[in-house]
Amino acid sequence: MATVKTQAHCLLAGAAAAAACAWPWAQASLAADFIHHTALAATIGGLADWWGVTALFKRPMGVNAPGTDVLRNNYERLTTGLADFVSNDLLTAENVMQAVGDENFAKLLLAHFAQQQNVERLWQTVRPLAEHALQSLNTRQAEQLLLQELPKYIASLRIPEILVDALQKAVANGSFNGLWQLAAQDSKQILHKAEFTALLEGLAQMAEEEYNKDSLLRNLFVSGQAAKLVPLFVQELEKTLDALADPASELRRQLDNWLLARMEDYRHDIAFADWLNGKLSQMATAKALAFKELLQTQDVDILLQLLQNRLQLLANSEVEQGKLDHALKELLLQVLTMQHDTVYDLVLHKLQSYDKDDLIAKMELRVGDDLQNIRKSGTCIGGLLGAVLFVIATLAERLVS
């Protein structure tokens, strides 16, 4: 099959041959004159496009005329311009993020690690690093640093103030209503237990005996009547518990106000802050030291198990996937923004690493057929315009004559 370049050559040669063959009879025959002028115009158009196409990549017929060998003479300018276009217009951070905006990076990551061979491949890479880190870990130094810095860090979090704010909002918003109702319900059940009733009756009997010795209130206690006070006492306690469970009661209002006031006192209580921070530091330190002991006694493969457990938790939570996807995209945006100049340098270095002649030859190979089609079109358009102009000129000549 003939190439497009060969077809363009043949078309140009055919036009030139037709013009040459028709020329001897052009003066004697209108048809030969028409063929001569049409083919001549096609030849001129084809030659012009051949010159232009060839001049892009080399010097036509070795002629070093202005505008020839365009790519080679402007190679540096073209490569820097292409690198600038790729980095500043094509591969900008905004364009890249727009292209990947609909992708869920978390789901892609989970799909990748859903295949066990990918997890194993990752672990083969990470395991030597983990073993080296574990072997070179100075646990004593880490423990000393932990014990020294962790209390400072926890104190800087201002957890007591955060806790007080949260509790105050909970009280103000009625979030403790369920707690008070549950406490009142459980307390009522205790009031009617036999053990509690027996306790109250015993206390009443002791009070009766005490008052009967020598008391202004002994007339209130008649022998055997003290136990009757127990149901009244239980009844009053039930009323108090009902008021405790009712958010609109005066008791609840006073209790909530008391809690809010006490919490505000705790906000500025240095002793409370020190106590809470100390407890939190002890808990965090205990967890960290327990993990240190675990690292010392367990094989490094425990980290692989932790990774797989984390991936499983991530797979079961859409919320966590959304957070991870957002974090990965934020990280990608930061990297693209920071490495903007690197993209330009990378593209420019890659272009400059090619041999100039090889790169121009590759470009010609890529677009050569399209350019040869321009030659074919130029030859045909030249012939068509030649024919039109010949017809116009002939008609004008006839009209003038």
Side-chain angles (χ1 to χ4, degrees):
M1 181 181 292
T3 63
V4 180
K5 187 175 184 180
T6 302
Q7 294 173 3
H9 285 335
C10 291
L11 185 60
L12 178 58
C21 292
W23 178 70
W25 295 277
Q27 299 298 323
S29 171
L30 180 62
D33 196 18
F34 173 78
I35 293 174
H36 170 69
H37 282 85
T38 300
L40 182 61
T43 303
I44 295 172
L47 285 172
D49 285 340
W50 168 80
W51 180 276
V53 169
T54 305
L56 286 173
F57 304 100
K58 61 186 71 173
R59 298 170 184 172
M61 301 177 65
V63 178
N64 188 17
T68 60
D69 207 6
V70 174
L71 293 181
R72 190 169 283 99
N73 291 333
N74 296 275
Y75 186 77
E76 296 297 330
R77 185 164 59 89
L78 290 173
T79 53
T80 54
L82 181 59
D84 181 72
F85 168 74
V86 171
S87 61
N88 293 322
D89 296 289
L90 186 61
L91 295 181
T92 62
E94 293 76 12
N95 289 343
V96 174
M97 294 307 301
Q98 184 177 3
V100 303
D102 295 333
E103 293 290 346
N104 190 316
F105 286 8
K107 290 186 180 296
L108 292 176
L109 186 65
L110 288 172
H112 177 75
F113 286 115
Q115 302 179 16
Q116 185 62 29
Q117 62 269 25
N118 292 332
V119 178
E120 293 175 356
R121 189 180 300 114
L122 173 65
W123 187 238
Q124 289 174 0
T125 304
V126 174
R127 182 186 177 112
L129 300 176
E131 289 179 343
H132 175 72
L134 187 59
Q135 293 172 0
S136 60
L137 178 65
N138 188 334
T139 56
R140 183 176 299 277
Q141 182 179 2
E143 180 179 343
Q144 293 176 352
L145 181 63
L146 185 68
L147 294 175
Q148 179 180 358
E149 297 298 330
L150 189 58
K152 298 179 183 178
Y153 174 72
I154 290 180
S156 68
L157 297 179
R158 305 171 68 89
I159 293 178
E161 293 187 15
I162 297 174
L163 178 62
V164 169
D165 288 337
L167 290 175
Q168 285 183 330
K169 289 181 179 179
V171 172
N173 296 333
S175 300
F176 280 7
N177 289 342
L179 179 63
W180 293 128
Q181 292 173 359
L182 181 62
Q185 181 179 354
D186 292 342
S187 299
K188 281 185 178 182
Q189 293 178 358
I190 294 174
L191 291 180
H192 296 286
K193 286 187 176 181
E195 295 85 350
F196 186 74
T197 302
L199 174 64
L200 291 180
E201 289 177 350
L203 292 175
Q205 186 66 34
M206 291 173 59
E208 179 181 5
E209 293 174 356
E210 185 68 25
Y211 287 137
N212 283 336
K213 291 179 181 178
D214 185 14
S215 172
L216 295 175
L217 298 177
R218 61 180 177 273
N219 293 330
L220 294 177
F221 293 91
V222 180
S223 178
Q225 299 299 314
K228 295 182 179 180
L229 294 177
V230 172
L232 296 176
F233 181 71
V234 172
Q235 183 178 0
E236 292 300 320
L237 284 178
E238 286 184 338
K239 290 181 180 180
T240 302
L241 292 175
D242 289 337
L244 179 65
D246 183 9
S249 67
E250 179 65 18
L251 176 62
R252 275 292 301 281
R253 186 186 67 79
Q254 294 178 358
L255 181 60
D256 288 346
N257 289 337
W258 178 82
L259 285 174
L260 291 173
R262 288 299 301 155
M263 291 174 189
E264 191 61 33
D265 293 339
Y266 279 126
R267 182 190 301 277
H268 308 288
D269 192 334
I270 298 177
F272 170 72
D274 292 341
W275 174 82
L276 183 59
N277 289 333
K279 289 295 183 181
L280 293 174
S281 298
Q282 292 175 6
M283 292 172 57
T285 303
K287 291 290 184 181
L289 295 179
F291 184 70
K292 183 204 73 170
E293 297 295 332
L294 183 64
L295 287 179
Q296 290 178 333
T297 57
Q298 297 291 331
D299 188 79
V300 72
D301 285 336
I302 191 176
L303 298 179
L304 175 60
Q305 186 61 43
L306 292 175
L307 172 62
Q308 292 177 326
N309 293 341
R310 182 58 186 169
L311 289 174
Q312 186 60 43
L313 292 174
L314 182 64
N316 297 332
S317 175
E318 293 287 342
V319 175
E320 292 299 323
Q321 292 177 23
K323 292 179 180 179
L324 178 60
D325 177 64
H326 179 73
L328 291 176
K329 287 178 178 176
E330 286 290 329
L331 178 61
L332 176 60
L333 179 59
Q334 292 179 10
V335 171
L336 291 173
T337 303
M338 294 172 59
Q339 300 299 324
H340 175 265
D341 294 337
T342 305
V343 175
Y344 174 84
D345 296 336
L346 179 63
V347 174
L348 184 60
H349 175 73
K350 188 64 177 178
L351 291 173
Q352 291 177 346
S353 66
Y354 288 109
D355 180 77
K356 183 186 300 185
D357 294 332
D358 289 343
L359 184 58
I360 292 176
K362 290 180 179 180
M363 294 174 64
E364 184 176 8
L365 182 63
R366 292 286 186 182
V367 300
D369 286 349
D370 292 328
L371 295 176
Q372 297 305 322
N373 281 324
I374 292 177
R375 288 182 54 199
K376 292 166 61 177
S377 299
T379 302
C380 295
I381 294 299
L384 179 61
L385 291 177
V388 172
L389 291 174
F390 176 81
V391 171
I392 294 175
T394 302
L395 290 176
E397 183 179 354
R398 294 289 178 88
L399 290 175
V400 172
S401 298

